């Protein structure tokens, strides 16, 4: 069916013909009082149409600089009339059925509306003025008797890539039904056709992200976020719009908020994914729709690029500010503007400082935090790199955004001819040693925090006391750990369940599964499950320091034969954690969810066994965070909300292995999963510590 459209920008209108039923219409010019009886009870009732589809932006008009908005048969609108009738419905959802274009109008179409089962009906008085208010979309919106519409704020938006790049640019289509809010009003006496003129109200930006200029560089883009000052919000999730006066309702509020715009690449409908790889010279256009505030003057907006460099240790840390000049209105309220960003090149050693923009008052328990299992194995292990679970060292893990580190120390004492070669805490994985002392690991974390003071890190330890292992002295952990941690007293912080982001900046939250003398410095963990999930056992763990205790849910199902069972346990804990920002009882619950592990039916915990699980579990977690994921043949869509701490193997690289017979390539999605976890912090309002007096 040919799409019919209306002129969109500041003057977009749709003449919606609300025609009466098929009964004979009264002649409103008659002086006969019988007209009153004939009008009473008549429905605003309309023809047939197709199932709901969507509305789309057309091509910009080069003369007027406006954008046409296309309607298709099946779009739904909400119509409300507070005074049409005392007997019928006050409101209803009406479905648009487009008809032929009106001759001589390039940007206008006539349309009919299909009425609901209980339509709005006319009063008996054909001279009474009746108010009609309407909104698009029809769901999630309410309208009151004064024409004040309440709309949800969509913090998590997606744009679909449906076709290959044209002239090296991808165009990602926004979800108009969720984001393109429009309103209409008409006050009229009885008429055969009530005209409704819809105007778009959202401040809309077309943002072009330009890929790298460096030859061979690949930018794995998962989306962008906008941080902007929102005025006149009525709650954490809603704003009100005055349809009569064409502006937001003034509530006096002023708050900085974030909106995330993700990518849904559906060119291959059987294999959709939440990123696009931009190579040299390529770009993608993303559309974001914001509540109707102006951007500019003192109301600046920051655009943050959410991306990783594919298969190398370069990082992306790019934030651009628009509206910096006082008095400069960059985008007027309810207007639409294109913004072309400069080329984004991965920078070796740059830091993905994703925590720095977050509000100080957000609880740490609310965050989605990427972490690494046996984080110290990235520089290799003994026994021919057996048990290696990472490809990056700790500094490069920090640079790509990892903030949670699983470190397994034991005391290492090796003496040759009376000379100590090793006599300190060392990091192990089982019986294999790594290339890291515990001091070297902490020093790298501290150096990163000094360079990026808006960030913080979490370290979980357990005494890796498995033997035989050359040089391990298993009696030294308990008496010596407190002394070691005291050497970092300026960076550690005592645990509380309600720790906030602001309190933890430039700090390390140290949690230990093994108790030590005069501890804990940060916290102890009790009842940590062995090869299980606390949701499966029904017995939660605890993280505590004295009387400061938090419930801790853990999935550490690390050795398994059924990959689908592993995925189900990852999903189950992600689903529970998604309610943390809305369920007051779970606001300060802490979560550690392990994607890491190995298939026991494929052999011992070899490096390749870890890679094989990462290929499956990392991809599932990424797909679940960015769209739809499958377990077996069943597809699942993740509810909006936190995922807590997600621990993975082989963070940082798209593929792991050397391509040899003994170490083939595995597509581990290690560059994409950390970024998807980071992105999740920008998609919804997280719970915060109340301000003084609240």
């Amino acid at each position: 069916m040919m799409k019919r459209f209306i002129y969109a920008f500041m003057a977009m209108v749709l003449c919606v013909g609300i025609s009466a039923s098929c009964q004979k219409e009264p002649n409103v010019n008659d002086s006969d009082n019988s007209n009153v009886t004939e009008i009473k009870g008549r429905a605003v009732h309309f023809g047939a149409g197709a199932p709901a589809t969507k509305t789309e932006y057309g091509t910009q008009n080069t003369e007027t600089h406006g954008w046409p908005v296309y309607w298709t048969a099946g779009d739904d609108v909400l119509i409300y009339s507070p005074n049409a009738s005392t007997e019928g419905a006050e409101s209803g959802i009406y479905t648009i059925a487009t008809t032929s274009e009106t001759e001589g109008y390039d940007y206008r179409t006539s349309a009919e509306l299909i009425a609901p089962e209980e339509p709005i009906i006319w009063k008996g008085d054909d001279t009474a003025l009746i108010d009609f208010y309407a909104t698009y979309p029809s769901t999630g919106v309410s309208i009151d008797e004064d024409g004040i519409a309440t709309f949800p704020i969509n913090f998590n938006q997606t744009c679909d890539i449906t076709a290959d790049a044209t002239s090296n640019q991808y165009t990602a289509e926004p979800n108009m039904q969720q984001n393109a809010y429009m309103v209409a009003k008409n006050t009229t006496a009885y008429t055969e056709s009530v005209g409704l003129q819809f105007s778009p109200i959202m401040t809309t930006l077309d943002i072009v992200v330009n890929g790298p200029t460096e030859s061979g560089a690949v930018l794995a883009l998962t989306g962008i976020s906008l941080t902007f000052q929102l005025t006149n919000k009525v709650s954490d999730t809603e704003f009100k719009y005055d349809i009569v006066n064409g502006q937001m309702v003034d509530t006096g509020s002023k708050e900085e908020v974030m909106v995330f715009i993700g990518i849904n690449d559906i060119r291959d409908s059987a294999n959709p994914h939440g990123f696009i790889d931009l190579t040299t010279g390529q770009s993608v256009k993303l559309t974001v729709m914001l509540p109707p505030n102006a951007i500019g003057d003192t109301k600046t907006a920051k655009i943050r690029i959410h991306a990783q460099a594919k298969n190398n240790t370069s990082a992306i840390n790019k934030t651009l500010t628009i509206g910096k000049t006082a008095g400069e209105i960059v985008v007027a309220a309810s207007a639409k503007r294109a913004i072309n960003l400069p080329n984004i090149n991965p920078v070796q050693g740059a830091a993905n400082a994703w925590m720095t923009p977050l509000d100080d008052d957000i609880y740490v328990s609310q965050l989605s935090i990427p972490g690494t299992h046996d984080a110290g194995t990235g520089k290799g292990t003994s026994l021919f790199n057996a048990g290696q679970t990472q490809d990056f060292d700790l500094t490069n893990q920090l640079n790509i955004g990892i903030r949670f580190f699983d470190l397994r120390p034991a005391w290492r004492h090796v003496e040759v001819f009376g000379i100590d070669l090793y006599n300190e805490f060392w990091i192990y994985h089982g019986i294999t040693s790594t290339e890291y002392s515990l001091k070297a690991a902490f020093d790298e974390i501290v150096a990163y925090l000094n360079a990026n003071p808006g960030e913080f890190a979490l370290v979980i330890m357990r005494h890796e006391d498995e033997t035989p292992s050359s040089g391990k002295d298993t009696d030294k952990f308990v008496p010596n750990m407190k002394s070691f941690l005291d050497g970092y007293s300026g960076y550690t912080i005592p645990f509380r369940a309600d720790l906030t982001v602001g309190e933890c900046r430039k700090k390390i939250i140290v949690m230990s599964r093994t108790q030590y003398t005069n501890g804990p410095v940060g916290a102890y963990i009790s009842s940590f499950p062995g090869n299980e999930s606390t949701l499966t056992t029904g017995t939660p763990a605890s993280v505590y320091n004295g009387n400061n205790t938090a419930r801790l849910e853990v999935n550490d199902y690390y050795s398994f034969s059924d990959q689908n069972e592993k995925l189900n346990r990852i999903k189950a804990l992600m689903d529970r954690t998604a309610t943390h920002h809305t369920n007051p009882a779970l606001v300060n619950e802490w979560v550690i969810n392990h994607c890491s592990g190995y298939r026991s039916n494929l052999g011992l915990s070899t490096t390749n066994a870890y890679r094989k699980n990462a290929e499956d579990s990392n991809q599932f977690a990424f797909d679940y965070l960015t769209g739809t994921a499958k377990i077996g043949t069943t597809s699942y869509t993740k509810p909006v909300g936190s995922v807590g701490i997600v621990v993975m193997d082989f963070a940082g690289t798209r593929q792991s292995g050397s391509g040899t017979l003994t170490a083939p390539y595995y597509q581990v999605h290690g560059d994409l999963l950390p970024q998807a976890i980071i992105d999740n912090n920008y998609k919804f309002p997280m719970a915060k510590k109340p301000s003084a007096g609240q």
Side-chain angles (χ1 to χ4, degrees):
M1 176 181 291
M2 181 183 296
K3 295 184 173 111
R4 306 299 179 186
F5 54 88
I6 55 180
Y7 187 69
F9 197 37
M10 297 302 290
M12 182 200 70
V13 296
L14 170 65
C15 292
V16 179
I18 303 186
S19 45
S21 66
C22 295
Q23 300 173 28
K24 178 179 178 296
E25 299 294 340
N27 181 351
V28 295
N29 295 318
D30 280 352
S31 58
D32 190 336
N33 287 336
S34 64
N35 289 333
V36 173
T37 303
E38 195 170 0
I39 293 169
K40 185 176 181 180
R42 283 187 153 235
V44 184
H45 181 88
F46 321 98
T53 53
K54 64 178 179 178
T55 319
E56 300 176 351
Y57 276 115
T59 304
Q60 184 180 17
N61 184 290
T62 56
E63 294 182 4
T64 63
H65 304 290
W67 278 261
V69 172
Y70 293 81
W71 292 88
T72 58
D75 284 324
D76 290 334
V77 298
L78 172 67
I79 301 178
Y80 171 74
S81 178
N83 54 0
S85 174
T86 57
E87 300 176 6
E90 288 187 333
S91 65
I93 294 175
Y94 288 75
T95 303
I96 290 180
T98 58
T99 61
S100 59
E101 249 177 64
T102 303
E103 186 69 27
Y105 289 88
D106 290 336
Y107 295 98
R108 184 168 295 180
T109 182
S110 60
E112 296 181 5
L113 292 179
I114 306 169
E117 290 185 4
E118 295 186 20
I120 301 170
I121 63 175
W122 291 101
K123 277 186 174 181
D125 184 355
D126 62 355
T127 62
L129 292 177
I130 307 299
D131 296 317
F132 294 93
Y133 306 110
T135 65
Y136 176 88
S138 60
T139 57
V141 185
S142 63
I143 311 172
D144 70 14
E145 61 184 10
D146 296 318
I148 305 299
T150 302
F151 289 97
I153 301 171
N154 192 350
F155 296 96
N156 182 20
Q157 303 178 20
T158 56
C159 291
D160 293 339
I161 296 176
T162 60
D164 291 336
T166 301
S167 300
N168 270 340
Q169 184 178 87
Y170 295 94
T171 297
E173 299 176 0
N175 187 325
M176 302 290 279
Q177 284 184 316
Q178 288 185 359
N179 306 319
Y181 298 166
M182 296 185 278
V183 299
K185 175 189 180 294
N186 196 351
T187 299
T188 180
Y190 175 78
T191 178
E192 294 183 8
S193 179
V194 177
L196 290 175
Q197 295 182 323
F198 279 81
S199 298
I201 67 170
M202 302 299 275
T203 301
T204 304
L205 303 176
D206 273 344
I207 299 174
V208 177
V209 180
N210 290 289
T213 57
E214 298 173 0
S215 177
V218 179
L219 186 76
L221 181 73
T222 57
I224 59 176
S225 63
L226 264 80
T227 304
F228 63 100
Q229 191 178 85
L230 177 62
T231 58
N232 300 324
K233 191 174 66 166
V234 295
S235 72
D236 285 341
T237 58
E238 294 176 323
F239 71 90
K240 290 183 181 292
Y241 190 84
D242 185 339
I243 297 175
V244 176
N245 294 304
Q247 62 187 19
M248 289 181 73
V249 174
D250 186 0
T251 64
S253 69
K254 185 183 297 184
E255 184 178 347
E256 191 171 78
V257 298
M258 293 180 182
V259 170
F260 183 80
I261 306 91
I263 290 172
N264 185 26
D265 187 345
I266 55 174
R267 288 174 293 168
D268 178 1
S269 59
N271 184 34
H273 49 265
F275 70 98
I276 186 75
D277 282 334
L278 295 180
T279 57
T280 304
Q282 290 187 326
S283 62
V284 62
K285 183 177 72 174
L286 304 173
T287 300
V288 55
M289 299 180 190
L290 308 175
N293 280 181
I295 296 175
D297 195 8
T298 58
K299 303 183 185 72
T300 60
K302 293 180 180 179
I303 303 172
R304 181 177 176 83
I305 308 301
H306 292 249
Q308 295 281 10
K310 182 180 178 181
N311 280 336
N312 64 49
T313 57
S314 300
I316 310 299
N317 183 24
K318 198 72 173 179
T319 302
L320 302 107
T321 301
I322 57 175
K324 292 185 290 187
T325 305
E328 176 193 8
I329 300 297
V330 178
V331 188
S334 303
K336 189 172 191 287
R337 177 171 174 175
I339 296 176
N340 194 39
L341 301 182
N343 293 90
I344 308 298
N345 285 302
V347 178
Q348 188 72 30
N352 187 342
W354 61 269
M355 289 176 163
T356 301
L358 300 180
D359 192 302
D360 278 348
D361 292 330
I362 295 171
Y363 293 117
V364 175
S365 58
Q366 292 282 302
L367 299 183
S368 300
I369 300 175
T372 45
H373 161 242
D374 277 296
T377 64
K379 294 199 292 186
T381 64
S382 61
L383 301 177
F384 307 100
N385 288 335
Q388 183 174 355
T389 62
Q390 304 300 329
D391 286 330
F392 282 12
D393 62 23
L394 294 177
T395 295
N396 282 313
Q397 290 178 34
L398 283 157
N399 283 340
I400 66 167
I402 301 299
R403 294 294 178 268
F404 176 91
F405 302 91
D406 169 27
L407 301 177
R408 311 283 182 89
W411 192 270
R412 188 179 192 183
H413 185 203
V414 177
E415 181 181 296
V416 177
F417 302 120
I419 300 174
D420 289 333
L421 298 183
Y422 301 98
N423 194 24
E424 61 179 317
F425 281 116
W426 205 263
I427 297 175
Y428 290 83
H429 183 189
I431 63 173
T432 63
S433 60
T434 73
E435 296 297 317
Y436 270 105
S437 69
L438 186 60
K439 182 179 186 303
F442 267 72
D443 285 349
E444 286 192 30
I445 295 172
V446 165
Y448 182 87
L449 297 179
N450 285 336
N452 301 277
E455 305 295 295
F456 64 89
L458 302 93
V459 169
I460 186 171
M461 301 188 304
R462 55 153 280 185
H463 185 199
E464 200 79 336
D465 56 1
E466 289 91 341
T467 55
S469 183
S470 176
K472 273 189 184 178
D473 186 340
T474 57
D475 293 331
K476 293 289 184 70
F477 181 97
V478 171
N480 288 289
M481 182 51 70
K482 174 66 161 54
S483 176
F484 171 84
L485 293 174
D486 283 347
Y488 297 90
S489 59
Y491 294 92
T492 57
I493 183 171
F495 176 82
R496 294 195 327 273
D498 63 349
L499 283 172
T500 63
V501 169
E503 292 175 290
C504 294
R505 296 196 193 276
K506 205 178 175 182
K507 300 292 184 183
I508 306 172
I509 303 172
V510 181
M511 298 178 280
S512 180
R513 293 164 57 184
T514 308
Q515 295 191 13
Y516 47 87
T517 303
N518 296 323
V521 167
Y524 288 141
I525 294 177
S526 64
S527 303
F528 198 94
N531 198 29
E532 250 314 344
S533 167
T534 53
L535 293 186
T536 304
T537 65
T539 304
S542 295
V543 53
Y544 64 95
N545 184 329
N547 293 326
N548 294 300
T549 302
R551 179 185 179 116
L552 174 66
E553 294 288 354
V554 180
N555 165 41
D556 192 17
Y557 189 49
Y558 60 83
S559 176
F560 49 88
S561 58
D562 184 349
Q563 187 72 50
N564 285 347
E565 181 58 27
K566 170 72 172 176
L567 303 184
N568 274 311
R569 297 190 189 204
I570 295 169
K571 175 184 176 297
L573 192 47
M574 283 189 174
D575 290 349
R576 175 185 174 90
T577 314
T579 65
H580 277 188
H581 66 298
T582 56
N583 185 343
L586 301 182
V587 162
N588 292 134
E589 176 179 272
W590 289 56
V591 167
I592 303 175
N593 197 346
H594 285 79
C595 291
S596 55
Y598 62 92
R599 293 265 290 274
S600 57
N601 59 323
L602 299 180
L604 299 174
S605 55
T606 63
T607 297
N608 282 347
Y610 285 111
R611 286 181 175 130
K612 175 55 184 163
N613 169 66
E615 190 170 56
D616 297 326
S617 293
N618 287 3
Q619 177 164 359
F620 168 80
F622 173 78
D623 288 345
Y624 199 45
L625 278 161
T626 58
T628 301
K630 284 187 175 181
I631 300 177
T633 59
T634 305
S635 296
Y636 299 94
T637 301
K638 180 190 173 298
V640 174
S642 173
V643 292
I645 298 165
V646 179
V647 187
M648 72 196 73
D649 292 328
F650 303 105
T653 58
R654 184 76 56 86
Q655 63 184 21
S656 180
S658 59
T660 64
L661 182 63
T662 56
Y665 287 127
Y666 293 85
Q667 301 302 314
V668 296
H669 283 68
D671 57 337
L672 296 169
L673 179 54
Q675 190 60 53
I677 297 166
I678 292 167
D679 294 347
N680 203 51
N681 295 288
Y682 293 75
K683 294 181 177 181
F684 62 96
M686 291 178 277
K688 301 177 185 179
K689 185 175 182 178
S691 303
Q694 284 189 310

